[in-house]
């Protein structure tokens, strides 16, 4: 059984945080883009693993990363994380319906861009994330 916890729009692209037996970020448009993030870099890893190449390429990132990459924390992963964290033009919107997620909130503090935060009612939230559910 899975439960959608939150959604984040990154430059207009919808990423959905789903709690399966472990956390997964899933791109709502490109279904093959999904990732399990590290807990320390929860949101940025979700972006690096689940965003389209159109978004990542804008910040000099040439590929999506996977769970193995995040846990290995190579120089390439850290450089990509730093690029996303430092991107002042990154358009972030954090959307939730019940309670805010502490892993997302904690990681948002590392971003140069300030996220808009929106709480929705359950029905509106599930309508938004319906393509993934």
């Amino acid at each position: 059984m899975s439960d959608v916890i939150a959604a984040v729009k990154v430059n207009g692209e919808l990423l959905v945080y789903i709690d399966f037996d472990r956390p997964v970020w899933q791109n709502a448009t490109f279904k093959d883009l999904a990732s399990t993030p590290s807990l320390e870099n929860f949101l940025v890893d979700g972006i690096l693993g689940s965003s389209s190449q159109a978004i990542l390429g804008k910040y000099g990132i040439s590929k999506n990363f996977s769970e193995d990459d995040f846990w290995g924390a190579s120089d390439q992963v850290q450089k990509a994380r730093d690029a996303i964290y430092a991107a002042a033009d990154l358009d972030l919107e954090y959307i939730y319906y019940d309670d805010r997620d502490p892993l997302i909130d904690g990681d948002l503090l590392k971003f140069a861009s300030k996220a808009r935060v929106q709480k929705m009612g359950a029905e509106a939230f599930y309508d938004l994330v319906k393509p993934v559910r």
Side-chain angles (χ1 to χ4, degrees):
M1 185 70 169
S2 65
D3 190 24
V4 176
I5 305 298
V8 174
K9 287 186 180 177
V10 180
N11 292 355
E13 194 170 276
L14 184 65
L15 307 180
V16 178
Y17 164 31
I18 306 166
D19 186 14
F20 287 111
D21 58 339
R22 60 185 185 194
V24 173
W25 283 98
Q26 170 74 55
N27 189 303
T29 304
F30 305 103
K31 305 290 189 228
D32 58 324
L33 294 176
S35 65
T36 298
S38 69
L39 299 180
E40 297 81 19
N41 300 285
F42 194 74
L43 178 55
V44 76
D45 287 355
I47 293 169
L48 292 172
S50 303
S51 292
S52 69
Q53 193 54 52
I55 289 175
L56 296 179
K58 181 177 180 182
Y59 303 103
I61 301 164
S62 61
K63 71 171 198 152
N64 291 88
F65 292 94
S66 69
E67 178 180 13
D68 290 339
D69 297 321
F70 300 138
W71 291 107
S74 68
D75 287 342
Q76 187 180 21
V77 169
Q78 194 55 52
K79 185 177 176 182
R81 285 174 175 154
D82 292 344
I84 297 296
Y85 282 139
D89 64 339
L90 192 67
D91 182 26
L92 290 172
E93 183 177 3
Y94 170 29
I95 305 160
Y96 68 102
Y97 75 94
D98 191 14
D99 293 320
R100 292 179 64 152
D101 186 89
L103 293 172
I104 296 172
D105 280 340
D107 208 25
L108 279 173
L109 298 173
K110 302 174 191 174
F111 284 79
S113 292
K114 297 299 172 207
R116 294 179 310 283
V117 179
Q118 179 181 0
K119 182 174 184 172
M120 290 184 156
E123 185 175 337
F125 179 79
Y126 282 112
D127 283 347
L128 175 72
V129 300
K130 187 183 285 187
V132 177
R133 290 183 55 222

